[in-house]
Amino acid sequence: RQRQMCIRDSPWEVRLERFSADGKVAWIYYNARGHQTIRVVRVDLASGEAKTVIDENSSTFLHYSDGGKYQLNWLDDATAIWSSERSGWNHLYRIDMNSGNVINTITTGNWNVKRIEEVRDQSIYFYAVGLASDQDPYHEHFCKVSIDGTGFVQLTEGDGNHTVQWSPNRDYLLDRYSRVDMP
């Protein structure tokens, strides 16, 4: 049932994102044809009331595919981490998934979050680009930040494109990096 204009007539993709633990609420992901609007809509299943809790819009294009910039990582039924270019840079935000309010901005700066690797122990591990002004802005570096936005650490430093692999006990990581002119 559609009570509000949360989901328009011409979707590219509509999918169930998840149900609440008690089964009373569903969140629906909506990507409009033309890829200029992405929404997450909260639906109360008893009343049918629909409310847009995330609404991203662009006059050009929203990069949504292949682990694109818009990523939703659920923390619990009430909160999620959303990546967004709302500041002009792709950064992370903690969102109240019932109201749609931003609880806190997690990352900021003149650089972009590329993709989230994992969320563990109240920390977010992710790849970022554009961190070092003396390096190619497309070199991916591995970083960590607390969910509350404190404690940002760039975990890789070498001038290149990084990939990491965790040790089995997750106490250490192996960092491998290269670039086109350096293996």
Side-chain angles (χ1 to χ4, degrees), residues 37-101:
T37 299
I38 293 176
R39 290 193 175 97
V40 178
V41 178
R42 180 189 185 276
V43 180
D44 180 301
L45 298 175
S47 69
E49 180 184 349
K51 177 182 179 171
T52 300
V53 292
I54 293 176
D55 191 14
E56 294 291 331
N57 296 284
S58 172
S59 61
T60 56
F61 182 80
L62 295 170
H63 181 190
Y64 67 93
S65 63
D66 301 325
K69 292 179 182 175
Y70 299 96
Q71 300 175 55
L72 183 62
N73 296 76
W74 290 86
L75 300 172
D76 54 41
D77 272 357
T79 58
I81 298 165
W82 176 250
S83 61
S84 169
E85 290 183 336
R86 62 185 67 186
S87 71
W89 299 90
N90 196 55
H91 283 292
L92 303 177
Y93 300 85
R94 187 165 46 152
I95 306 291
D96 179 318
M97 295 304 288
N98 289 316
S99 69
N101 294 331

Side-chain angles (χ1 to χ4, degrees), residues 68-140:
K69 292 179 182 175
Y70 299 96
Q71 300 175 55
L72 183 62
N73 296 76
W74 290 86
L75 300 172
D76 54 41
D77 272 357
T79 58
I81 298 165
W82 176 250
S83 61
S84 169
E85 290 183 336
R86 62 185 67 186
S87 71
W89 299 90
N90 196 55
H91 283 292
L92 303 177
Y93 300 85
R94 187 165 46 152
I95 306 291
D96 179 318
M97 295 304 288
N98 289 316
S99 69
N101 294 331
V102 174
I103 297 167
N104 63 282
T105 301
I106 299 170
T107 60
T108 61
N110 295 340
W111 50 273
N112 288 301
V113 170
K114 181 77 180 217
R115 68 183 178 281
I116 294 173
E117 184 71 15
E118 71 175 317
V119 179
R120 171 171 53 92
D121 301 328
Q122 297 297 304
S123 293
I124 305 164
Y125 295 87
F126 63 96
Y127 286 92
V129 295
L131 288 167
S133 61
D134 61 336
Q135 295 181 19
D136 183 315
Y138 295 101
H139 288 166
E140 292 185 6

Side-chain angles (χ1 to χ4, degrees), residues 24-37:
K24 295 180 179 180
V25 174
W27 287 270
I28 309 296
Y29 171 90
Y30 167 79
N31 182 350
R33 191 166 302 282
H35 313 296
Q36 294 175 310
T37 299

